[in-house]
Amino acid sequence: MKYNRLDQLGIVITESPIEHIEFDILDKALNKNGINRDKFSELFGIQTCYDKGLYPWDVEPVLERMMSGKLTGTQLHWD
């Protein structure tokens, strides 16, 4: 699967044992690209995640919303 926004931010997906984005890698990428971590967390909402990081298929739509400027609702309350 292709994750355009993750690629734009240079976020590396760890593939073993399951695809995930390590928490510290995500934090560094958000900070480096000037993306507000608190706003990301607010939009990300409550999601299940791997014990070592977040699933890319959950992160990608949040980044898309933030980077495209379409900030309506949250993943807790879909549009």
Side-chain angles (χ1 to χ4, degrees):
M1 182 172 202
K2 181 78 171 150
Y3 300 106
N4 294 327
R5 295 298 185 174
L6 293 173
D7 288 345
Q8 281 182 323
L9 298 181
I11 295 175
V12 177
I13 298 172
T14 304
E15 296 192 15
S16 180
I18 187 169
E19 277 192 347
H20 67 282
I21 301 164
E22 294 179 20
F23 295 113
D24 62 331
I25 290 177
L26 178 62
D27 283 341
K28 288 176 187 174
L30 293 176
N31 288 334
K32 179 181 175 186
N33 290 281
I35 297 174
N36 184 300
R37 177 69 167 98
D38 292 335
K39 188 65 174 176
F40 175 85
S41 295
E42 177 187 333
L43 292 172
F44 191 77
I46 299 171
Q47 304 263 355
T48 57
C49 62
Y50 183 59
D51 63 346
K52 296 181 181 179
L54 304 174
Y55 299 120
W57 51 85
D58 290 335
V59 173
E60 179 73 10
V62 176
L63 292 176
E64 176 61 32
R65 296 177 93 164
M66 293 184 79
M67 296 169 76
S68 69
K70 298 175 184 175
L71 295 178
T72 56
T74 69
Q75 285 189 286
L76 290 174
H77 308 290
W78 289 100
D79 299 330

